Amino acid sequence: QKVDVSEKEANPIVKEVIVSETAKLLGDKSLPDFVSEAVSHAKSDTLTNLPKRIAVAKGMVATNVGTVKEAASLIVDGGLAARKVNVDSCREALSCLVSLGSDAEDAKAEWAAKVKEKYPLITNFG
């Protein structure tokens, strides 16, 4: 995928470096293909850590790779069984679900209920 860096915003050398290095970072894939691959990996590996699931869900929405409901599902379905699950990462996941808007309202409620069940002493959650 070509990175859009306006002529006014960047020095030509900086622009060239950004464009060439982005391609390397993405493995010569387009950004949507890169995100799609990350989605597939997260769905197939139930232990994909929660912070990564959150990042991939945000990427799905930002690149139009999936729907808001699919992005929310990536967090809610199996998110508590993943690695790096703690109260802070659960709050980050809730924040992400809130940022997804009204299409993720059911997922937000489901996530809050699951987290409260896992951490019954948690306060100010949801």
Side-chain angles (χ1 to χ4, degrees):
Q1 166 140 353
K2 188 171 182 167
V3 177
D4 184 27
V5 181
S6 120
E7 295 294 329
K8 293 179 183 178
E9 293 178 18
N11 175 305
I13 295 171
V14 172
K15 180 180 175 183
E16 182 182 330
V17 170
I18 290 172
V19 170
S20 69
E21 295 305 311
T22 299
K24 288 178 188 173
L25 287 171
L26 299 179
D28 289 325
K29 295 180 184 113
S30 69
L31 187 55
D33 288 346
F34 182 82
V35 173
S36 289
E37 189 175 295
V39 170
S40 295
H41 181 265
K43 285 181 177 179
S44 67
D45 181 4
T46 57
L47 296 179
T48 299
N49 70 61
L50 184 55
K52 183 173 184 177
R53 287 176 177 273
I54 295 165
V56 171
K58 288 177 182 178
M60 287 175 72
V61 174
T63 59
N64 295 317
V65 166
T67 66
V68 167
K69 289 185 181 197
E70 290 169 332
S73 172
L74 193 62
I75 294 170
V76 175
D77 298 340
L80 289 177
R83 294 185 176 120
K84 297 186 181 180
V85 173
N86 54 46
V87 172
D88 290 335
S89 64
C90 288
R91 286 187 195 281
E92 186 181 339
L94 181 63
S95 176
C96 176
L97 292 169
V98 168
S99 75
L100 295 178
S102 61
D103 284 349
E105 202 59 41
D106 291 342
K108 184 186 100 166
E110 182 181 350
W111 179 253
K114 286 181 175 185
V115 171
K116 287 176 184 175
E117 184 179 325
K118 181 173 178 81
Y119 300 107
L121 300 178
I122 195 170
T123 57
N124 297 329
F125 190 88

